[in-house]
Each structure stands twice: as C-alpha cells, then as structure tokens.
Amino acid sequence: MERPSGASAGPELGEGTPEDARGFPSPARDYFHGGIDLNRHLIRDRTSTFVMRVAGNSMAAAGICDGDELIVDRSLEPRDGSVVIAVLDGELVVRRLHLGADGVRLQTDDGGVPTEVGELGDLSIWGVATRCLHHV
C-alpha cells in the first residue's frame, strides 16, 4: 500500500527525542539527598573517635577478627560487658570488661584466662569499641 505524499507513519527507529526515551522519573529521586555520610551513621563524637586495626583472633567469638577495624570512642565511659581497648604491659589489647563485686577483669572471648585487675582506677582503658568493620 502506498503512502500519500507528505504523510508519515511515525518516527523511524532512532529518530525520537531524548525525552521520549527516558520514560518516567524514578520515585527514589524524591528521597535522594546526596551521598552516604558514614561519620553521621557510625560516629557519635568525631573529636574523640579513632579507627584501630585488630591483630589476632582472641575476640573472634564476639565477631572481632584479625584484620578488622574497630571504631573506638575515647569519650565513652566503659560499662560492664563493654568491649574496650586497654593498656596491658605497655600494649593495647582488645578485651571485654567485667565489673563485679570481686573486682575488675578483662576477658578474651576465646575462653582464655581472664586478666584480674584490682580496681577500675588501676586499669588504663584507652577507649570503648562501638563498631567493628569487617571485610567481606
């Protein structure tokens, strides 16, 4: 069948405008407010928070493994059960703090012998771990 002169059957493939090819806008665009700020989500006090890399697997049962990074907040007060960075024999160690009537002790989560400390004042706690970052 012949087409009358000047009549068009519509645009040929590739002749449409860019607006035709876009479709409808994404509904998620209404909720996008820039990039993800991990400082806002992971860090409470930027001036007293540090990242430390773990060496060893003594806290693996708590999910803290060799090579992981810990977010450590030095402004937090350690409580019973807190994972802390403590100074033992001049080294920084990651341990779980236990405060009891019988005194203070630092415990690994691998079932090792706890380190007995007389009073909390006798112990130098560098900071409290707030998050553990794993590589996947």
Side-chain angles (χ1 to χ4, degrees), residues 62-78:
I64 302 170
C65 302
D66 186 55
D68 289 347
E69 286 93 14
L70 291 178
I71 297 178
V72 180
D73 191 335
R74 295 197 70 190
S75 69
L76 293 178
E77 191 68 32

Side-chain angles (χ1 to χ4, degrees), residues 47-113:
T47 60
S48 61
T49 301
F50 299 86
V51 176
M52 301 180 83
R53 180 158 296 143
V54 176
N57 285 309
S58 64
M59 296 294 289
I64 302 170
C65 302
D66 186 55
D68 289 347
E69 286 93 14
L70 291 178
I71 297 178
V72 180
D73 191 335
R74 295 197 70 190
S75 69
L76 293 178
E77 191 68 32
R79 298 184 303 207
D80 184 48
S82 294
V83 174
V84 298
I85 311 305
V87 180
L88 287 179
D89 300 324
E91 289 187 37
L92 292 175
V93 296
V94 181
R95 299 288 187 268
R96 189 168 303 277
L97 179 68
H98 291 286
L99 305 172
D102 57 338
V104 177
R105 62 190 162 88
L106 295 171
Q107 177 74 50
T108 62
D109 280 359
D110 66 357
V113 178

Side-chain angles (χ1 to χ4, degrees), residues 4 6 18-19 23 34 42 44 54 63 76-77 105 114 119 121 126 128 133:
E19 290 82 22
L42 301 177
R44 192 175 130 284
V54 176
L76 293 178
E77 191 68 32
R105 62 190 162 88
E119 297 290 322
W126 196 84
V128 177
L133 307 175

Side-chain angles (χ1 to χ4, degrees), residues 33-48:
H33 298 291
I36 296 173
D37 182 6
L38 293 178
N39 288 321
R40 198 176 99 227
H41 293 286
L42 301 177
I43 296 174
R44 192 175 130 284
D45 182 358
R46 289 178 68 163
T47 60
S48 61

